[in-house]
Amino acid sequence: MALIEYREALGQAIAEEMERDDRVFLMGEEVAEYNGAYKVSKGLLAKFGPKRVIDTPISECGFTGIGVGAAMHGLKPIVEMMTWNFALVGAIDQIISNAAKTLYMSGGQFKCPMVIRGAGGAGGKLASQHSQSFEALFTHIPGLKVAMPATGADAKGLLKTAIRDEDPIIFIESEALYGKKFEVPDGEHLVPFGVADVVKEGSDVTIIAHSRIRHTAAAAIERIESELGISCELIDPRTLRPFDIETVAKSVAKTNRCVVVEEGWHWCGVGAQIAESVYTYCFDDLDAPVVRVAGLDVPMPYNPKLEAAVLPSIDRIIAAVKKVTYK
Amino acid sequence: MAIEVRMVSLSPTMELGTINRWLKKEGDKVSAGDTLAEVETDKATMPLETFDGGVLLKIIAPEGSKNKVGELLGVIGKEGEDISAILAKGGAATPAAAAVPAKAAPTAAASVAASSAAVAAAPAQAAFDHGARVKATPLAKKIAKERGIDLHQVAPSGPGGRVIARDVPATAPTAAALAAPVPVGTGVGEDIPLSGLRQTIAKRLLQSKQTIPHFYLYSEVSMDRAVAFRDELNASVEEGGVKISFNDLVIKVSAAALAKHPEVNAAFNQTSIRRHGEINIAVAVATEAGLYTPVLRNVDKMSLKQINGGVKQLAGKARDKKLTVAELSGSGFTISNLGMFGVDHFFAIINPPEAAILAVGAIQNKPVVNAAGQVVAGKTMGITLSCDHRVIDGAVGAKFLQTLKDLLEHPAKLLL
């Protein structure tokens, strides 16, 4: 166990998997010579050479398509989106039309085992076009799996599982967490997909939060428990597809109340789907409607005060918990 | 403009009314004050009168149908008027119709109002008016079902009148057993459908036992003086006159004790305790159809003769099913006497929303120890007070019982 940055945990996962399996390679903008825009791939070029750590032109559509082809031919590409905002430049067509559909449309003849990874969410004063949460968009697509680690250990464990998986994986890292330090297991550490993490046990309210907003929820819970005496259970689903409804349902059966928190926009956000699943599986257990806390439905403002107002805050989470407990 | 005829609440506990008989048929001209139909409520058969005149255009609820309060029964309007909009709307109760018994028979409306003024019309069983549909969370519904509790009886604390889990009262472990379905079809038997009265008895007494924390105070009363007192009163009665019963005496004594202990003449009202302004005593009357509890009003101002006459009149009406809502509501205390069946003593279930009930046993010849410490022949009677502990503490109930005992043992004190 070592206290290392989130980005370093990701780099460890890539390095370990490249050592383990020589079919694994990394490509993307600035991943090689520059050691990655966020330094996730630091040292990889020196270690694995330019055949396996490849700088690409600024052409997301092109290099994502190369990744799809390589995967179909038996390699295991890791394609880096410098940020997920750039996936809009054509990569989204390769991901949705090709990566997600290959297995189905070839009648099972071709797999597409690739990881498309990069920074998501707001980073802080990056304005509307570079502060977006696209997990709802990708989780919507059958054929894709979506992972969103909130800690260094999960970043490493989920990425190693993603690289070994036989399906296309959308791996959304948190731009705001790259520089945060976490205790990360040394060497082999795998976190399975579809298994939520019960971060903290509690008895009165189930709070579901993923990626960096999970830490906002944890901070809110500290205040809720000390100031209001309401015991909260915090669950991080870690992967949004597959989604571990079993762990959530078990928790809601105990607490009878549920708050879903996410950074992305409210309307049609992943929280809407999670709430629907809670209603389906926990209907008779609920003593209050599920309350969602999400990003406000506006383009992200550049002004930091307005940005803070748009993102789910500790106060908004506390208000949601009060609402479901009728306080 | 056509007028909707809706089922109105003809008693404080009424939820359903059965149309026994329509007295008007479609096409009949009706004027204000006419009785449209006879409605059997949970306790009595009442006339459903109209305040509006016109033509009875449509009868929607057939004879024999059970209708919730607020449900559409028929339509009155002008000859040939288009009522399709009302019919399309169907049974949806308008809040106005459900809340204001405007089209009720005037007597019924007046008596309901009078009784609510007098004793806050049954607060315990209707702490909150949910209307036709109770809003409750799925969890609250599940818990209520498990505990056999009717959500209509539960006061909500959630937004917009929503019942949430914490509002559903806990219940005695026996509730599950009571609520368990009775096995049907074993051996030779007969299923007797529940009458409205039977349903009311089942519901209200179950609710009482489940939601009211009962405790019981039993006392054996020396009746030697009371027997002599009554003999003296009745000895002088001329032919055809009134014979005072022991029950009359118990009622009289209870009224005096309630006057002295107003904390017993009270009701639990969720957020407060209601102390009644009048001494109104319900008397349990057994009939072939079931138990009625008609109410004697202002008993503290009545003579024994008046009490006797009042009870006789109410008991007769009960047997004939002629009791009105006014005669069935507004009590603060009930007396149940099974002495005539030779019962030593028994423990009665509180008649909600009251806070206490007196169970009276038979007068018996018994060896008793007199003031001089000798065992002598005496007459005794067992009385048991059942109290709602939310309203009455043990010592308060005991003092009330002490007063009762003292007055029965020294009936001359009634003259004071």
Side-chain angles (χ1 to χ4, degrees):
Chain A
M1 200 72 98
L3 188 67
I4 56 172
E5 287 181 353
Y6 182 88
R7 67 177 108 228
E8 214 179 328
L10 292 163
Q12 266 186 16
I14 297 169
E16 285 175 22
E17 291 308 300
M18 285 179 77
E19 261 170 36
R20 183 179 168 274
D21 183 348
D22 60 12
R23 294 174 301 162
V24 178
F25 71 99
L26 174 69
M27 66 176 163
E29 294 155 3
E30 314 270 29
V31 298
E33 297 286 350
Y34 188 63
N35 283 314
Y38 293 98
K39 304 295 173 240
V40 169
S41 55
K42 190 177 173 185
L44 293 181
L45 175 65
K47 197 164 184 185
F48 296 102
K51 270 189 126 175
R52 296 183 68 194
V53 183
I54 304 161
D55 274 328
T56 64
I58 302 176
S59 171
E60 280 77 7
C61 178
F63 67 76
T64 307
I66 290 169
V68 172
M72 287 169 71
H73 280 272
L75 295 180
K76 302 210 80 173
I78 302 168
V79 174
E80 179 174 305
M81 295 292 134
M82 189 181 285
T83 80
W84 275 100
N85 303 293
F86 307 152
L88 303 181
V89 193
I92 204 162
D93 179 44
Q94 291 295 344
I95 293 168
I96 295 175
S97 301
N98 296 331
K101 308 286 194 294
T102 294
L103 181 70
Y104 177 77
M105 294 188 74
S106 69
Q109 294 180 80
F110 295 105
K111 291 176 188 165
C112 192
M114 68 188 294
V115 176
I116 307 150
R117 50 155 289 273
K125 289 203 288 176
L126 295 177
S128 303
Q129 295 159 317
H130 286 185
S131 307
Q132 307 187 88
S133 299
F134 285 131
E135 58 263 39
L137 182 67
F138 290 110
T139 306
H140 187 60
I141 309 296
L144 299 178
K145 293 175 180 170
V146 179
M148 294 193 71
T151 67
D154 284 350
K156 179 174 178 178
L158 287 171
L159 186 51
K160 284 169 71 80
T161 302
I163 293 167
R164 293 183 196 184
D165 201 277
E166 293 294 305
D167 290 314
I169 310 290
I170 304 299
F171 199 90
I172 304 177
E173 297 150 12
S174 166
E175 186 159 345
L177 291 179
Y178 278 133
K180 297 271 188 290
K181 286 190 172 174
F182 296 93
E183 290 287 349
V184 177
D186 303 316
E188 184 76 342
H189 170 62
L190 292 168
V191 173
F193 277 31
V195 179
D197 182 17
V198 180
V199 180
K200 185 201 157 296
E201 290 191 8
S203 57
D204 300 333
V205 180
T206 300
I207 300 180
I208 303 164
H210 63 272
S211 195
R212 72 134 153 181
I213 287 300
R214 160 185 150 178
H215 302 291
T216 311
I221 288 171
E222 275 189 29
R223 274 188 49 195
I224 291 161
E225 299 206 328
S226 67
E227 292 171 21
L228 300 171
I230 299 167
S231 164
C232 298
E233 182 147 308
L234 178 58
I235 295 179
D236 178 356
R238 301 196 284 203
T239 57
L240 300 174
R241 191 167 180 140
F243 183 84
D244 182 4
I245 186 62
E246 205 177 321
T247 296
V248 169
K250 210 179 281 176
S251 174
V252 174
K254 174 175 69 174
T255 63
N256 310 121
R257 298 165 194 94
C258 183
V259 169
V260 188
V261 192
E262 67 185 301
E263 180 173 329
W265 291 299
H266 185 271
W267 192 253
C268 291
V270 290
Q273 182 53 51
I274 294 170
E276 189 267 357
S277 296
V278 169
Y279 284 123
T280 301
Y281 291 98
C282 313
F283 184 72
D284 287 322
D285 296 317
L286 287 170
D287 199 29
V290 176
V291 173
R292 292 180 57 208
V293 180
L296 302 184
D297 284 324
V298 292
M300 185 64 79
Y302 171 70
N303 177 315
K305 289 203 167 92
L306 293 178
E307 178 172 353
V310 166
L311 290 170
S313 63
I314 289 175
D315 285 344
R316 279 169 62 200
I317 295 169
I318 291 173
V321 167
K322 281 175 147 179
K323 198 167 179 186
V324 296
T325 52
Y326 302 101
K327 300 268 175 171
Chain B
M1 172 77 187
I3 290 144
E4 299 168 4
V5 179
R6 289 187 179 272
M7 182 60 76
V8 292
S9 179
L10 297 168
S11 87
T13 57
M14 172 173 163
E15 285 170 11
L16 281 177
T18 306
I19 303 280
N20 273 355
R21 193 156 68 99
W22 280 97
L23 301 175
K24 302 281 179 190
K25 45 184 199 302
E26 286 181 9
D28 279 2
K29 278 208 162 72
V30 297
S31 35
D34 281 359
T35 300
L36 297 177
E38 275 179 10
V39 174
E40 189 187 334
T41 72
D42 51 349
K43 288 221 158 173
T45 303
M46 308 283 303
L48 180 79
E49 296 184 12
T50 176
F51 272 175
D52 305 288
V55 174
L56 183 57
L57 295 173
K58 180 83 187 164
I59 288 175
I60 290 161
E63 290 183 356
S65 65
K66 288 186 195 314
N67 300 277
K68 284 185 186 149
V69 171
E71 225 163 281
L72 190 61
L73 305 175
V75 184
I76 292 172
K78 290 196 195 82
E79 189 95 55
E81 191 174 341
D82 179 18
I83 56 167
S84 54
I86 291 175
L87 296 181
K89 198 167 58 160
T94 59
V100 186
K103 295 182 198 81
T107 51
S111 64
V112 169
S115 65
S116 46
V119 291
Q125 70 256 35
F128 182 85
D129 182 11
H130 287 284
R133 182 180 171 273
V134 179
K135 280 183 281 178
T137 65
L139 182 65
K141 285 179 182 164
K142 188 169 78 172
I143 293 172
K145 200 175 167 191
E146 283 166 5
R147 296 178 185 171
I149 287 166
D150 178 4
L151 282 170
H152 282 89
Q153 312 298 334
V154 177
S157 71
R162 183 193 300 156
V163 175
I164 62 177
R166 68 170 178 229
D167 302 332
V168 181
T171 190
T174 52
L178 285 171
V182 179
V184 175
T186 50
V188 182
E190 188 188 0
D191 290 329
I192 297 156
L194 295 179
S195 65
L197 178 65
R198 201 77 246 151
Q199 284 175 30
T200 302
I201 292 170
K203 193 173 127 183
R204 295 195 57 203
L205 294 185
L206 180 66
Q207 175 213 342
S208 171
K209 264 289 194 176
Q210 284 182 342
T211 61
I212 299 178
H214 284 62
F215 71 90
Y216 309 93
L217 300 170
Y218 168 69
S219 191
E220 195 174 82
V221 180
S222 166
M223 290 296 282
D224 297 313
R225 286 198 184 90
V227 170
F229 179 76
R230 174 176 170 266
D231 286 347
E232 202 167 335
L233 289 177
N234 288 345
S236 56
V237 172
E238 64 268 28
E239 198 74 19
V242 176
K243 280 210 164 188
I244 302 301
S245 71
F246 284 111
N247 201 47
D248 298 334
L249 192 61
V250 172
I251 294 170
K252 175 85 181 158
V253 163
S254 297
L258 287 171
K260 190 174 171 189
H261 302 276
E263 56 271 40
V264 176
N265 187 26
F268 188 72
N269 208 358
Q270 304 306 327
T271 54
S272 61
I273 287 169
R274 175 84 193 196
R275 285 214 183 150
H276 301 310
E278 292 176 358
I279 294 175
N280 300 333
I281 297 178
V283 185
V285 177
T287 71
E288 273 182 25
L291 176 74
Y292 282 96
T293 51
V295 181
L296 278 177
R297 295 183 179 277
N298 298 307
V299 188
D300 52 325
K301 300 185 180 76
M302 289 170 105
S303 68
L304 274 168
K305 221 166 151 178
Q306 286 169 322
I307 290 172
N308 181 281
V311 171
K312 270 190 187 146
Q313 193 195 11
L314 290 172
K317 279 187 163 184
R319 275 183 272 278
D320 298 341
K321 283 188 152 188
K322 288 274 166 62
L323 288 166
T324 65
V325 171
E327 287 162 339
L328 284 166
S329 52
S331 57
F333 187 77
T334 294
I335 296 170
S336 179
N337 191 341
L338 293 178
M340 59 291 255
F341 300 109
V343 170
D344 285 4
H345 64 269
F346 66 103
F347 305 90
I349 299 174
I350 290 168
N351 179 23
E354 295 169 8
I357 183 167
L358 187 72
V360 183
I363 296 173
Q364 295 180 312
N365 290 312
K366 265 192 177 180
V368 294
V369 180
N370 67 11
Q374 300 157 318
V375 177
V376 296
K379 292 183 187 303
T380 65
M381 183 173 81
I383 56 172
T384 311
L385 187 71
S386 309
C387 303
D388 179 347
H389 213 318
R390 297 173 303 177
V391 180
I392 301 168
D393 288 340
V396 174
K399 281 183 200 160
F400 176 80
L401 199 65
Q402 200 174 29
T403 303
L404 272 183
K405 184 176 157 85
D406 183 51
L407 287 171
L408 284 169
E409 291 182 349
H410 307 93
K413 288 189 182 176
L414 286 171
L415 299 172
L416 290 173

